[in-house]
Amino acid sequence: MFNAGRSLFPKQERMVSRLLIETLFGGGCSHSMAAFPLRVVYMTRERRDDEAPIQLLISVPKKHFKHAVDRNRVKRQIRESYRRHKELLTDPLPDTQQLLIACVWLSDRHESSLSIEQKLVSLMRRIGEKL
């Protein structure tokens, strides 16, 4: 049975547009902060009617984990932490704005899910304060 109170991470919240990714990493209006082993690059822009209020990109470079199973595990941990705490970003975000976020993994080692969640929540709170 579907739980209506449960937070989801729908497809619309995944950043897949090459144009948006280039805009985010192209500099200019984007901001960056880190809480090792995560680095977050984010920016706000005007929101269109058909777009999700937040779009997320998760990057775990092959340079850090050679095996796809390891990269996928880290991405799954980050995605789950974001899904559980995304209200930290959606609540302070104005309805007319869209938030683009990229999470980049910086370490060669695995971390516990609890540790990743604490670091991501810390970063999300800092971003929420700046909105």
Side-chain angles (χ1 to χ4, degrees), residues 24 29-33 40-44 99-102 126-127 130-131:
L24 182 61
C29 322
S30 62
H31 306 281
S32 176
M33 57 181 69
V40 174
V41 180
Y42 69 96
M43 69 180 282
T44 56
L99 181 62
L100 305 176
I101 304 174
R126 288 167 56 191
I127 293 170
K130 295 188 182 215
L131 295 177

Side-chain angles (χ1 to χ4, degrees), residues 7 12 14 31 44 54 64 76 99 106 117 119 127:
S7 297
Q12 298 90 331
R14 298 171 196 239
H31 306 281
T44 56
I54 299 174
H64 297 302
R76 196 168 39 251
L99 181 62
L106 302 173
E117 186 169 346
K119 301 287 175 69
I127 293 170

Side-chain angles (χ1 to χ4, degrees), residues 90-105:
T90 54
D91 292 346
L93 186 66
D95 291 338
T96 59
Q97 295 288 309
Q98 181 184 34
L99 181 62
L100 305 176
I101 304 174
C103 294
V104 182
W105 188 259

Side-chain angles (χ1 to χ4, degrees), residues 1-126:
M1 184 172 165
F2 179 71
N3 183 359
R6 174 179 112 168
S7 297
L8 298 174
F9 185 54
K11 219 172 197 179
Q12 298 90 331
E13 289 186 11
R14 298 171 196 239
M15 191 186 324
V16 293
S17 165
R18 183 174 295 275
L19 183 63
L20 285 180
I21 295 168
E22 287 175 1
T23 303
L24 182 61
F25 286 103
C29 322
S30 62
H31 306 281
S32 176
M33 57 181 69
F36 193 79
L38 284 170
R39 178 173 164 247
V40 174
V41 180
Y42 69 96
M43 69 180 282
T44 56
R45 67 182 201 132
E46 291 299 317
R47 182 177 166 201
R48 298 189 184 103
D49 293 332
D50 58 337
E51 293 178 328
I54 299 174
Q55 288 195 340
L56 179 71
L57 170 75
I58 300 172
S59 173
V60 181
K62 195 183 267 190
K63 171 179 146 183
H64 297 302
F65 292 111
K66 301 295 183 209
H67 301 280
V69 67
D70 295 323
R71 294 191 301 274
N72 291 340
R73 174 184 175 205
V74 172
K75 286 191 271 189
R76 196 168 39 251
Q77 289 173 308
I78 294 169
R79 197 167 42 242
E80 180 64 13
S81 298
Y82 166 78
R83 185 191 67 76
R84 293 177 66 194
H85 299 283
K86 69 179 172 183
E87 71 280 349
L88 293 172
L89 298 173
T90 54
D91 292 346
L93 186 66
D95 291 338
T96 59
Q97 295 288 309
Q98 181 184 34
L99 181 62
L100 305 176
I101 304 174
C103 294
V104 182
W105 188 259
L106 302 173
S107 176
D108 291 340
R109 296 176 180 241
H110 284 289
E111 296 274 335
S112 70
S113 294
L114 180 62
S115 171
I116 291 173
E117 186 169 346
Q118 290 171 343
K119 301 287 175 69
L120 190 62
V121 166
S122 165
L123 290 167
M124 290 169 71
R125 282 197 176 113
R126 288 167 56 191

